[in-house]
Amino acid sequence: MKRINIIHLAPNLRRLYVKHICRDLPMVIPKLTKLEHLQADFLVGYIDLFQKCTEVTKLTSVDLCLGHIDEKNLKQLCKFCPLLTKLRINVDSSTSLRCLASLIHLKVLSVYALDTTLFANNDVCLPNVEIFQFNIRRNLHFDRSVQRMFPNVHYIKFGYGWKSTIITGKISASFPHLRTLEITHIRGTTDLVDRLVGLSKLRELIAHEAVLSDIHLPPMNLPQLTLKHSEFEVTDEMAQNFPNLRFLNLYGKSRCINAEKLPPTCTVRRFHRGCVDDVFDIKL
């Protein structure tokens, strides 16, 4: 197998994924003059190098999902990469997100593991974040403390991290301007119905790897329902709860049972390719 000389390629790289500790990275970083996106599992070990390289200030996207980052390194990252529009991080409950307020261009924030303690600081506000993705690590309560931190989010995607996780409160209490909601790995529970009540501005509901056959969704003025590798059974009650549904989008192995019960104005569309599984890939 031919070994690629990354130092030789560095000046032309726009995206770089570092899966393991790279001995050449200290020499490569100063040569990444065109780099826009960096994904690194062990980047926290090299953050100190950023202060020696002005080129990293041009980074607009950083993914640290698989490398745990503490509050000190998070502050350094915000300092060295002020132009970030997308950031994915893995933090613990004791880490404050206050330093992210300095990232005035940040539009997409993805937090690998989340619990209510991250919203304890009432002075944290990230008004520029429009897309928020997270996995729930412990019990989470949706309330106005979340809204204070993310007042302008219009797209959220969340998934259950552990089987014992419990969610309380209404999503509308935390995200009143929500237009797109994507829920992954939904467990067959009626609790989801209570979480969805009050989402009057919701334009699209996306279910990823979910079975909606046993869940009676509440009445919603929803024009678009998207299924990604999911199953949806249309009952008479369900058809009445979606009177304004115009499109039912099916991706991958998704299927719709009793589709004939959908409103006559609804069009079922199947897409074999082009399914975006991650909000981090959405073009702003």
Side-chain angles (χ1 to χ4, degrees), residues 119 122 124-126 143-151 174:
F119 305 119
N122 294 330
V124 179
C125 182
L126 305 175
D143 58 18
R144 292 186 177 181
S145 65
V146 184
Q147 181 185 350
R148 286 193 294 267
M149 181 177 290
F150 301 101
S174 299

Side-chain angles (χ1 to χ4, degrees), residues 176-218:
H177 307 295
L178 196 63
R179 297 180 65 84
T180 303
L181 171 63
E182 182 169 357
I183 308 177
T184 67
H185 302 99
I186 303 174
R187 298 191 302 272
T189 171
T190 56
D191 290 342
L192 180 64
V193 177
D194 297 332
R195 308 289 81 78
L196 298 178
V197 171
L199 294 173
S200 59
K201 297 182 179 180
L202 195 67
R203 307 300 295 172
E204 182 179 14
L205 175 63
I206 305 173
H208 188 182
E209 296 186 13
V211 178
L212 301 182
S213 302
D214 300 327
I215 300 177
H216 298 284
L217 298 174

Side-chain angles (χ1 to χ4, degrees), residues 9-239:
L9 296 176
N12 296 315
L13 288 178
R14 293 185 179 276
R15 299 175 64 89
L16 178 62
Y17 174 31
V18 183
K19 188 174 183 179
H20 301 288
I21 295 177
C22 177
R23 292 176 298 177
D24 295 333
L25 195 58
M27 293 181 290
V28 172
I29 288 180
K31 300 180 182 296
L32 298 171
T33 57
K34 297 181 180 180
L35 193 67
E36 298 174 357
H37 171 76
L38 177 60
Q39 179 179 350
D41 296 355
F42 301 93
L43 182 63
V44 291
Y46 298 104
I47 285 183
D48 288 337
L49 295 173
F50 282 15
Q51 61 186 329
K52 302 177 183 179
C53 177
T54 59
E55 298 302 335
V56 297
T57 61
K58 300 178 182 179
L59 278 173
T60 58
S61 175
V62 170
D63 184 347
L64 303 178
C65 182
L66 298 180
H68 190 87
I69 185 170
D70 58 21
E71 188 169 350
K72 176 183 176 181
N73 284 323
L74 186 58
K75 289 180 179 179
Q76 288 181 303
L77 181 66
C78 294
K79 177 181 178 181
F80 300 146
C81 306
L83 300 180
L84 287 179
T85 60
K86 298 181 179 182
L87 176 62
R88 193 199 318 257
I89 52 177
N90 183 357
V91 297
D92 56 36
S93 58
S94 63
T95 300
S96 171
L97 301 181
R98 185 184 293 108
C99 60
L100 298 183
S102 64
L103 300 175
I104 61 175
H105 303 285
L106 188 63
K107 299 293 184 182
V108 181
L109 176 62
S110 179
V111 181
Y112 178 71
L114 186 75
D115 56 48
T116 307
T117 55
L118 278 176
F119 305 119
N121 295 320
N122 294 330
D123 59 335
V124 179
C125 182
L126 305 175
N128 298 312
V129 175
E130 299 177 356
I131 302 176
F132 184 36
Q133 176 182 2
F134 57 94
N135 287 330
I136 303 170
R137 175 172 51 188
R138 298 173 184 168
N139 297 347
L140 179 66
H141 179 67
F142 287 109
D143 58 18
R144 292 186 177 181
S145 65
V146 184
Q147 181 185 350
R148 286 193 294 267
M149 181 177 290
F150 301 101
N152 297 315
V153 165
H154 63 75
Y155 186 134
I156 68 169
K157 174 181 178 180
F158 73 86
Y160 294 90
W162 278 259
K163 293 183 178 180
S164 59
T165 300
I166 298 176
I167 301 177
T168 56
K170 295 181 180 180
I171 298 177
S172 59
S174 299
F175 305 100
H177 307 295
L178 196 63
R179 297 180 65 84
T180 303
L181 171 63
E182 182 169 357
I183 308 177
T184 67
H185 302 99
I186 303 174
R187 298 191 302 272
T189 171
T190 56
D191 290 342
L192 180 64
V193 177
D194 297 332
R195 308 289 81 78
L196 298 178
V197 171
L199 294 173
S200 59
K201 297 182 179 180
L202 195 67
R203 307 300 295 172
E204 182 179 14
L205 175 63
I206 305 173
H208 188 182
E209 296 186 13
V211 178
L212 301 182
S213 302
D214 300 327
I215 300 177
H216 298 284
L217 298 174
M220 306 175 75
N221 295 321
L222 192 71
Q224 189 162 227
L225 175 62
T226 299
L227 305 180
K228 298 180 179 179
H229 311 292
S230 300
E231 179 181 294
F232 177 57
E233 181 176 0
V234 184
T235 62
D236 293 335
E237 178 186 0
M238 194 68 71

